[in-house]
Structure formats: structure tokens, C-alpha cells
Amino acid sequence: MAEIEMGSCPAIMDCSAFELPLPPFAPVLLESMRAIGYSFESAIADVIDNSISAGAQNIQIRFLPYDEPFVSILDDGIGMSARALVEAMRHGSQDPRLLRSSSDLGRFGLGLKTASLSQCRCLTVISKQNGELNARRWDLDLVEKRKDWILTGVRPDELSTLPQVAELAKLEHGTLVLWQRFDRLAAGESSIEQALGDRIDMAREHLSLVFHRFLASEIKGSPTLEIAINDNPLKAQDPFLRANKATQSLPEESLAVEGCSVKVAPFILPHISRLSKDDLRMAGGEEGLRRNQGFYVYRNKRLISWGSWFRLVRQEEMTKLARVRVDIPNALDHLWTLDVKKSAASPPEAIRNGLRVIVDRISEGSRRVYTFRGRRANADGVVHIWDRTLERGGVTYTLNREHPLIIALESLIPDTALPLFQKHLQSVERTFPFDSLYADMASERRPDPPESHTRTDEELYDLASRLLDVVGTDPASTSRFLRSLATMEPFSRYPESIETLTEKLEYVHRQRPAD
């Protein structure tokens, strides 16, 4: 025993006895791999990765939740020969250490099989190339029965009856992935029809986000990818809301790592009060705004990880508008510790150091947008009703005593009542419920934004007319007042009404006799 522990072989023993081929037991390993952690939607996304890598431009997903439920994914990619299909069905068909094409979305050679079998017990792949249809199948029940890695073919009479095979046959080339026998999906569910329908709805949202840059034709030199579920096309779900003009796109930066370039593009989303219902849905809803802040990591334009700051900054209410797009090439997979599901990635130290500087800058921008609601106090040319002042490391809010509304009120109040009026303004400032407002803004009880309490043109005219009465009928004063309307709250909130409002006021006041 001493000699063995020291690493030597006794003369009376054959060293080759210690070298035994020990392949894994197929039924046990396959069942274990089903628990690797794929969700239904991430499993479909992994199959679509293969379609994109094969050059597909159209991907049709179909599902049937009743009778004999199935999910099928058909693409018009280059397809596979009989030999290539067998190799593709092998577990571990690709060495993750090998250099791959820059457009390849795969890595471990496990995705197609592991993702599919995590959801079903029967996986069939049919591919067309050079006019030939080839089919192979993994049937977990057969593997269990035979206790071995048995990959089967599909009889011609059965092949013709499988979903979407007729559509594949019409294509010049392509591949069809078919899932059947959803044992895990049915477990614990009263209705597999409802369960499958719910999973498809989740997949629709997930795929619209994960592949949004392909769906929106952001890939230079590549045609737009089309993905449809039961003939309903998916729409790109842009997490940065770039279609909203209020979104701030900060300058893109590039970080060099091992001869490769990691591109970083920060975005500051608009304040929630400036988001439409569609924008808010794309941002993940009110709760999603906070939960989904952080880095959005893309590998070859495919979103793989989001909603984390990688511990470089804390997730908080005031940074929830900050989102950072990070583009990494697949040549750096080994540094990002990419997992099998391609749903998690952790940046190496060289990248973290560069990201830390960017995070500090853009998180302050998010706080500023959230605090100012999209305006810069005393620096945007607008006469605000509230003044925001930074002092002694804190922030104070006071009513703007120079605002025309307050000046007009003071002019109408008798001198003896002015001190009381000033004390009332101070009471409003000192009793403003900051803590309650902050709590409400961060909760589902968030108050409606002022924009939702829209003033009518009649109300705007009445308020402006009363202010103009105080200003007087002097032509110079009237002209100055009318010119200032567009930059005075609350009128500045209604730019579409300013021109009509000004013309009406000019006309009415021209008819009045001078004092």
C-alpha cells in the first residue's frame, strides 16, 4: 500500500489494471442532465441559437397543447447531411476550447440535446440538405429500456406524419426540431394544455428580448431574422427603448482584452412619467424597471445575461434607469465563465475594472434623470415652480418666489396680508411629505404623474389671462409675458398649445383699451 500511495506500481501488479474505460451509464446521466436548469423559454432559445448559426432567416415555432402535444421549431438554415446529423445528436459534439466562427452561437455541443430533453422525453431532428431528408431521434424511454446510448432513425411511414415535415420538404434546405412527450411539463399541473400555453406566452416575451437585435436587423450585413409562433411574428423588444427620443445614449467605449474588443454602450432610460404603455412593457413593467437595471451582456449580438451590476454597484431605486449594453465575442467565452445554458456570464477582472469607471458615471446620470424628472433645475431655460438647491451635501426644495404665479398672487394680496402669505409658502415647503412621496414612487401605489392630470386649453387660457391682467396692458410688458409662456411652468408642459394660446391672448388684449 505504501508503494501505491507514493505513486509507484508493485512489480507483481499490472499497472494497466488501473486504466479502465468507464463510460457513463446512459439512462442515469441523461436523466441527471435534464435537471441542469433549463427553463422552457431558455431551452427554445438554445435551439434557435443553432438555427441562427446555420444561417436561418426564417424560424417557425409551432405548438399543439392537446391530443398529442408537441412543440416544433423549423428553420431554413443550411441543413445537415446524414453524417452531420448523427454527429450533431452526439452529446458533447463540439470541443468548447476550439476557436469557432465569430457568428457561432454554440459552445459546448450540448445545447440542442440537453435543452430539448430537459423539456421532453422524445427529441426528433429532421434535416434537409442536397434534396435529402434525414432524421434521428433520442427516445429516453428506449434508452432506459436498452440501458445504452441508443440513437434511432425514424421509419418513412412515421416521418411523413410528423408535424411540419411537409413544410420542411418544400424548403431547399433546413432543419426541424420536434419535442414530444412532456413529462416534466405535465408534472404537478392539472392541465397540460394550460401549462403549455402559459410556457409559450413566456417564451414569446423571452425570445423577443433575447434575439431583439436579430429581429430588428441590427446585425450589419445580415438580413432581418423572422421568428413566428403559430404564424404570429415576434417583435423586437428593445430593453434600451431607443425609439423613445427621451432615452439618453451615452458614447460607446471599447475595452481591449487578449487582443479582442469588448464594446460598452451605456443608456439612461426616460423617467417613468415619459414612458408610454408599450415602452413600460418593454422595460419590464414598473417592477421590471428596478429589477432589470444593470448590464446587458450580448455574445455575438445574442442577449445572454441581464439585470445585474456584477457587484460593482448596488441595485437601488435611483439607478433603475441605467442600462449598459456589453458586447463580447465568443473568443472570450473562457474568461466570462459562460454556463452551458448561455444564460449567465461573469466578467473577468480586466473587464470589471473598465466597467467600474463607466458604472460610476452612468449611475449618477440615472439619479439625475430620476430626481429631475428629465429636467435640469435652473439650467434648462424653464421658469420652474419649485427650485432644487444643493447645499451642505444635501438637497432642498423651495417654491420659486420669482415665478409669475407667485408674483401675481402677491400683487393681489393686501400689504397687511403679505406676511401671512409668505409664512404659508414656508409652511408648504417645510411640510412637504418627502419620505411618503419617495416610498410611494418606489411602490405600486406610485401617484399619477402630473402629465396625467392634463389641463384643457380653456384652463390654460384662463390662467394665462389672469396673469396677463396683473402684468397690465402695457404693450412691452404684454409682449415680454407672451414670449415667456413657452418657458414657464405649467405652460411649458403643453408646447403644442402655446402658439394657439399666444395668438388668442394677443387678440383679446388688443381689443382692451390701454390703462
Side-chain angles (χ1 to χ4, degrees):
M1 289 297 295
E3 291 182 349
I4 295 177
E5 292 175 353
M6 292 296 291
S8 61
C9 294
I12 60 173
M13 298 184 65
D14 183 1
C15 288
S16 63
F18 293 97
E19 299 177 2
L20 300 175
L22 196 62
F25 187 44
V28 174
L29 181 60
L30 285 177
E31 287 295 339
S32 299
M33 291 177 67
R34 301 185 75 197
I36 203 169
Y38 276 101
S39 63
F40 183 87
E41 59 272 18
S42 65
I44 290 184
D46 227 344
V47 174
I48 291 178
D49 285 343
N50 292 326
S51 298
I52 295 175
S53 295
Q57 297 179 20
N58 296 279
I59 300 173
Q60 290 286 338
I61 302 171
R62 295 194 189 281
F63 73 97
L64 184 72
Y66 47 83
D67 294 336
E68 296 183 5
F70 72 84
V71 171
S72 62
I73 305 166
L74 172 66
D75 70 54
D76 59 357
I78 60 174
M80 291 176 281
S81 64
R83 182 174 181 178
L85 175 57
V86 170
E87 190 61 28
M89 296 293 275
R90 182 194 302 275
H91 287 76
S93 58
Q94 188 175 33
D95 189 339
R97 298 167 296 180
L98 295 178
L99 185 64
R100 298 176 306 284
S101 164
S102 60
S103 61
D104 190 354
L105 296 181
R107 173 161 171 76
F108 296 95
L110 290 171
L112 170 63
K113 290 77 65 175
T114 307
S116 299
L117 294 175
S118 71
Q119 306 301 314
C120 66
R121 295 195 65 80
C122 182
L123 163 65
T124 307
V125 179
I126 308 104
S127 196
K128 182 179 181 181
Q129 191 178 78
N130 297 327
E132 294 184 358
L133 281 178
N134 301 291
R136 289 291 173 178
R137 170 179 291 165
W138 279 114
D139 186 331
L140 295 186
D141 292 336
L142 179 63
V143 171
E144 173 67 29
K145 180 179 179 180
R146 301 280 293 275
K147 312 297 183 186
D148 204 352
W149 300 88
I150 303 299
L151 179 69
T152 69
V154 180
R155 298 190 311 274
D157 59 325
E158 180 188 0
L159 182 62
S160 61
T161 66
L162 295 178
Q164 285 194 284
V165 168
E167 295 177 50
L168 173 61
K170 295 177 182 177
L171 297 176
E172 184 177 348
H173 42 69
T175 298
L176 171 63
V177 176
L178 177 64
W179 296 353
Q180 295 173 297
R181 303 211 299 270
F182 298 94
D183 59 329
R184 293 199 167 192
L185 185 63
E189 300 288 345
S190 58
S191 168
I192 189 173
E193 295 181 17
Q194 183 64 45
L196 184 55
D198 290 343
R199 299 301 195 284
I200 288 291
D201 287 340
M202 295 171 64
R204 188 186 306 277
E205 293 292 324
H206 183 78
L207 300 177
S208 296
L209 174 62
V210 166
F211 297 105
H212 76 93
R213 298 175 75 178
F214 293 87
L215 294 168
S217 189
E218 283 188 32
I219 315 303
K220 190 174 182 180
S222 299
T224 302
L225 175 69
E226 294 185 4
I227 302 176
I229 298 180
N230 280 7
D231 295 323
N232 294 313
L234 300 186
K235 295 182 179 180
Q237 185 172 319
D238 180 12
F240 310 111
L241 307 183
R242 283 167 294 179
N244 190 313
K245 295 181 179 179
T247 293
Q248 300 178 40
S249 300
L250 303 184
E252 183 178 282
E253 300 186 27
S254 183
L255 305 175
V257 181
E258 293 191 359
C260 297
S261 177
V262 175
K263 296 181 179 179
V264 183
F267 297 88
I268 306 296
L269 271 55
H271 187 273
I272 192 171
S273 64
R274 304 184 70 178
L275 298 179
S276 66
K277 289 183 178 180
D278 287 341
D279 284 340
L280 191 57
R281 179 186 59 79
M282 277 198 196
E286 294 185 31
E287 176 60 28
L289 265 181
R290 186 181 196 282
R291 184 179 63 249
N292 295 332
Q293 64 180 283
F295 293 107
Y296 282 66
V297 180
Y298 294 80
R299 175 178 176 270
N300 294 350
K301 310 298 182 182
R302 191 263 209 210
L303 183 59
I304 60 174
S305 174
W306 63 95
S308 170
W309 286 115
F310 300 136
R311 299 187 178 182
L312 299 179
V313 67
R314 291 177 56 192
Q315 274 201 350
E316 59 179 22
E317 188 69 16
M318 289 301 181
T319 60
K320 71 180 184 181
L321 302 180
R323 298 185 176 188
V324 184
R325 189 181 70 204
V326 181
D327 279 299
I328 64 173
N330 57 19
L332 296 180
D333 284 352
H334 62 291
L335 295 181
W336 282 80
T337 58
L338 188 71
D339 69 356
V340 172
K341 304 187 302 296
K342 297 192 291 290
S343 61
S346 178
E349 182 180 4
I351 297 297
R352 288 199 306 272
N353 293 337
L355 294 179
R356 185 174 286 107
V357 176
I358 297 172
V359 165
D360 290 341
R361 183 175 71 253
I362 61 105
S363 59
E364 177 56 33
S366 174
R367 292 187 183 95
R368 186 162 57 249
V369 170
Y370 190 82
T371 303
F372 285 91
R373 300 187 62 256
R375 301 179 179 88
R376 296 179 179 176
N378 302 325
D380 57 2
V382 175
V383 181
H384 293 282
I385 294 178
W386 286 91
D387 280 338
R388 180 179 183 272
T389 306
L390 296 172
E391 55 180 30
R392 298 179 183 177
V395 182
T396 61
Y397 288 86
T398 56
L399 288 165
N400 179 10
R401 300 300 196 274
E402 302 301 318
H403 193 282
L405 275 173
I406 292 181
I407 294 175
L409 285 171
E410 288 179 339
S411 69
L412 298 174
I413 295 175
D415 290 345
T416 55
L418 275 177
L420 180 61
F421 177 67
Q422 290 295 337
K423 287 184 178 181
H424 176 69
L425 295 182
Q426 292 173 2
S427 296
V428 171
E429 294 167 342
R430 293 171 180 171
T431 59
F432 190 87
F434 292 105
D435 293 341
S436 297
L437 177 62
Y438 182 87
D440 289 338
M441 291 296 289
S443 73
E444 296 181 355
R445 300 187 304 274
R446 185 175 56 81
D448 290 334
E451 283 85 346
S452 65
H453 307 296
T454 306
R455 292 175 183 262
T456 64
D457 288 345
E458 290 75 13
E459 290 174 324
L460 291 173
Y461 172 76
D462 182 64
L463 178 59
S465 181
R466 290 176 181 273
L467 287 173
L468 194 50
D469 287 340
V470 175
V471 171
T473 56
D474 173 62
S477 300
T478 299
S479 179
R480 283 195 300 271
F481 174 79
L482 294 177
R483 287 198 306 270
S484 70
L485 275 182
T487 58
M488 181 196 311
E489 286 186 327
F491 307 103
S492 60
R493 298 175 181 269
Y494 306 91
E496 70 282 355
S497 302
I498 292 297
E499 184 177 352
T500 302
L501 180 61
T502 301
E503 291 176 354
K504 186 175 181 181
L505 288 168
E506 285 179 336
Y507 174 79
V508 171
H509 280 267
R510 277 199 304 268
Q511 309 307 311
R512 296 184 180 180
D515 292 338

